[in-house]
Amino acid sequence: MNLEEFRAYGHQMVDWMADYLRDIETYPVKSQVAPGDIIGQLPVQMPKQGEGMEKILSDFQQIIMPGITHWQHPGFYAYFPANSSFPSVLAEMLTATLGAQCMIWDTSPAAAELEERMMEWLQELLDLPGNWVGALQATASEATLVALLSAREQASNWRINQEGFSGQEKYRIYASSETHSSIEKAVKIAGFGRENLVYVRAKEDLSLDPKALRQAIESDIRAGLKPLCAIATLGTTSTTAIDPVGDMGAICKEFGLWLHVDAAYGGSALALPALRPLAKGLELADSFVFNPHKWLLTNFDCSAYYVQDKAALLRTFEILPEYLKTTHDKQVNNYRDWGIPLGRRFRALKLWFVLRHYGAEGIRAVLQQHMDWATELEGWVNEHPDFKQMAPRSLNLVCFRYAPAGQSNTAELDRLNQVLLQQLNASGKIYLTHTKVKGAYTLRLVIGQSRMDRQHVVQAWEQIVETASQLQ
Ligand SMILES: *Cc1c(COP(=O)(O)O)cnc(C)c1O
């Protein structure tokens, strides 16, 4: 391909992108293919000779598109959203074109300095403590691993980095029974051993019970174990329960534990002043992560990680081989030392486009709408005699299930709701996922897709009621 062909295909593709987003509601939200459908259409061997773009693009349409689940479809109510927005997509095109490797300041000073400023903008948007500093990571899973490694090194006085585990360390990590699976993964990777992750009882509202946390820590200390870190979740994945950060922070201070806050999804909500009190006591946290790539209009991947003690972070991850030394190392942020990978994408650019395009008020307006529609939906669920809300709503996720009058057999209710979910998702119009709340099969409906409007929510609810009423 030469430059002029690149230009022509580029224009053609931007037209395709605009058409796709215009027509997105004509696609089934959840891909309807079966396992193997896609790979069966892909040649076993790569081509010997290069192929033309026309053919590649037509195969993209024919083979790939049917196997895509349309996360930007306004009928997407599943998991948590992975929102994009026009400014974010445009910035991603520029990032791909620049193809810069932003591992250290020298390798693109603008990337490092823009990232520094964007972390400050986000800090202000969410009203995070002013003494924190942060860097972008790819995912919350990575940021949580970074937090656990930092806690480990600080507690061992950087000995484990140096000598490895001696086998004598008996570190314990605490999180609620509702915590995200990435915590367990990080505990395994960091070398603590899964059996040292203590799942602390949750209260009736599914938030961590601080009394149970204190008991678990005290009992571990009596047993000669070493409490290291507690993880508070601001918005659990199952039901967006909010752990009591302030209470947990006080307990962590008392016993000398690191407090990490996993606000992967819920963090964005702190941009709304009315919801900021959910994170009361946040200044007690040692580290905090939230994902602009979920609810903040910014394409995956973009995860914002903040710490109180920059020195502890850098000391945990710093490397300085001769070939990476530069003359500015003392004056600038070399983000390779702020996390796991050496190579880094220029992620700050899309944040800059998004935050400038919407402004704080524009972002708050989007989030507030989602909150309002979720409040409305919660009302409809509760007004309907055949539906039941299954968990308290703190953000824009409504957890409910079909529970027709007269039916109280729990196994039968689980079955009915599984069938309901399958039928709704097979319709191609909407996509929901499920969870279990205290053992009961529960539908989750997240109102956070950036392309939806109120009418979509109205229609989704009508479809749910209608489909449920026909269930056998
Ligand atoms: C989505 C989510 C994660 C994982 O986020 P990644 O960025 O995909 O690693 C972790 N914790 C919570 C509470 C989440 O909702």
Side-chain angles (χ1 to χ4, degrees):
M1 190 180 313
N2 63 31
L3 186 66
E4 286 315 314
E5 286 167 330
F6 168 73
R7 187 189 304 281
Y9 283 119
H11 286 147
Q12 188 182 320
M13 246 173 252
V14 170
D15 281 339
W16 184 91
M17 289 155 64
D19 290 347
Y20 167 70
L21 291 171
R22 181 194 60 204
D23 302 335
I24 195 163
E25 289 182 66
T26 63
Y27 294 85
V29 195
K30 181 175 193 277
S31 169
Q32 310 277 316
V33 305
D37 280 359
I38 307 296
I39 200 166
Q41 299 177 69
L42 301 171
V44 176
Q45 271 151 357
M46 68 173 280
K48 279 206 176 59
Q49 258 93 50
E51 300 179 89
M53 270 319 275
E54 296 296 343
K55 182 79 176 75
I56 298 171
L57 289 175
S58 103
D59 284 350
F60 169 72
Q61 291 273 24
Q62 305 301 317
I63 302 174
I64 302 302
M65 283 306 282
I68 294 296
T69 288
H70 301 280
W71 286 67
Q72 308 311 320
H73 191 300
F76 188 96
Y77 303 98
Y79 306 103
F80 284 135
N83 283 336
S84 77
S85 60
F86 293 132
S88 173
V89 171
L90 295 174
E92 283 285 59
M93 289 167 64
L94 296 182
T95 296
T97 305
L98 297 174
Q101 241 296 357
C102 307
M103 52 193 176
I104 55 179
W105 183 89
D106 255 32
T107 63
S108 275
E113 296 187 11
L114 186 62
E115 179 161 338
E116 184 174 344
R117 191 49 39 94
M118 289 309 99
M119 294 308 288
E120 292 165 4
W121 284 11
L122 287 177
Q123 190 168 7
E124 193 192 322
L125 180 68
L126 270 56
D127 190 17
L128 301 177
N131 62 332
W132 288 5
V133 292
L136 295 174
Q137 313 277 340
T139 62
S141 305
E142 245 179 270
T144 293
L145 176 58
V146 166
L148 284 181
L149 293 171
S150 307
R152 184 192 80 186
E153 287 315 303
Q154 193 186 61
S156 74
N157 197 22
W158 284 270
R159 186 179 48 77
I160 297 177
N161 261 356
Q162 185 63 26
E163 301 167 12
F165 279 98
S166 68
Q168 299 307 306
E169 300 85 358
K170 293 174 176 161
Y171 292 125
R172 304 280 276 178
I173 307 11
Y174 307 84
S176 100
S177 48
E178 297 289 311
T179 202
H180 189 265
S181 56
S182 58
I183 310 300
E184 181 184 326
K185 208 183 222 181
V187 164
K188 290 197 291 182
I189 300 171
F192 297 119
R194 183 158 54 190
E195 57 189 40
N196 290 309
L197 172 57
V198 181
Y199 287 110
V200 176
R201 190 179 62 230
K203 295 193 293 192
E204 186 57 26
D205 66 359
L206 302 171
S207 70
L208 180 140
D209 182 349
K211 281 202 215 77
L213 174 64
R214 170 183 290 279
Q215 280 163 8
I217 293 173
E218 287 176 343
S219 119
D220 279 352
I221 292 173
R222 280 196 298 275
L225 304 168
K226 191 154 180 0
L228 177 81
C229 174
I231 290 128
T233 310
L234 269 182
T236 59
T237 313
S238 183
T239 68
T240 60
I242 309 282
D243 286 345
V245 177
D247 293 345
M248 292 176 70
I251 295 171
C252 288
K253 282 279 168 295
E254 181 180 340
F255 292 98
L257 276 73
W258 183 289
L259 177 65
H260 174 58
V261 177
D262 175 3
Y265 183 66
S268 300
L270 304 184
L272 295 175
L275 294 181
R276 183 59 182 74
L278 291 175
K280 189 165 152 283
L282 193 60
E283 64 284 353
L284 297 174
D286 295 282
S287 54
F288 172 91
V289 63
F290 90 102
N291 286 345
H293 71 224
K294 280 182 168 165
W295 195 11
L296 214 67
L297 304 154
T298 307
N299 277 65
F300 187 84
D301 50 4
C302 185
S303 189
Y305 178 63
Y306 289 89
V307 294
Q308 229 185 78
D309 184 355
K310 173 178 157 190
L313 174 70
L314 297 196
R315 196 166 160 199
T316 302
F317 290 96
E318 205 162 43
I319 42 149
L320 198 51
E322 192 53 39
Y323 50 80
L324 289 179
K325 284 185 186 155
T326 70
T327 47
H328 314 289
D329 286 342
K330 291 225 156 30
Q331 292 155 265
V332 300
N333 286 343
N334 286 322
Y335 285 114
R336 67 150 189 245
D337 292 333
W338 295 57
I340 295 165
L342 170 62
R344 303 176 92 249
R345 274 159 43 69
F346 187 5
R347 295 194 189 91
L349 191 68
K350 58 189 168 188
L351 268 176
W352 193 46
F353 275 43
V354 168
L355 298 179
R356 292 184 65 181
H357 176 81
Y358 287 92
E361 284 178 14
I363 287 175
R364 290 191 173 114
V366 172
L367 299 175
Q368 188 59 52
Q369 273 192 331
H370 291 156
M371 289 298 301
D372 292 347
W373 298 334
T375 310
E376 262 191 281
L377 175 71
E378 180 186 33
W380 301 334
V381 168
N382 284 308
E383 277 158 25
H384 201 294
D386 292 339
F387 284 85
K388 185 167 184 280
Q389 187 173 0
M390 299 298 284
R393 183 188 60 80
S394 55
L395 301 176
N396 57 341
L397 162 63
V398 183
C399 293
F400 65 96
R401 74 168 172 174
Y402 179 52
Q407 181 56 266
S408 58
N409 179 321
T410 49
E412 177 58 12
L413 284 171
D414 283 358
R415 188 194 68 83
L416 278 174
N417 280 279
Q418 279 175 43
V419 177
L420 174 58
L421 184 72
Q422 274 160 16
Q423 292 189 1
L424 292 171
N425 292 346
S427 77
K429 294 207 182 77
I430 58 177
Y431 181 22
L432 277 66
T433 47
H434 80 280
T435 186
K436 284 206 165 156
V437 175
K438 296 171 190 151
Y441 193 94
T442 297
L443 305 188
R444 294 170 75 263
L445 197 154
V446 187
I447 299 179
Q449 215 300 317
S450 50
R451 309 182 65 80
M452 80 174 51
D453 58 35
R454 184 176 173 278
Q455 197 48 33
H456 290 105
V457 184
V458 171
Q459 279 165 10
W461 177 242
E462 281 170 6
Q463 189 187 339
I464 292 166
V465 171
E466 170 66 20
T467 311
S469 71
Q470 319 250 318
L471 285 178
Q472 307 284 325

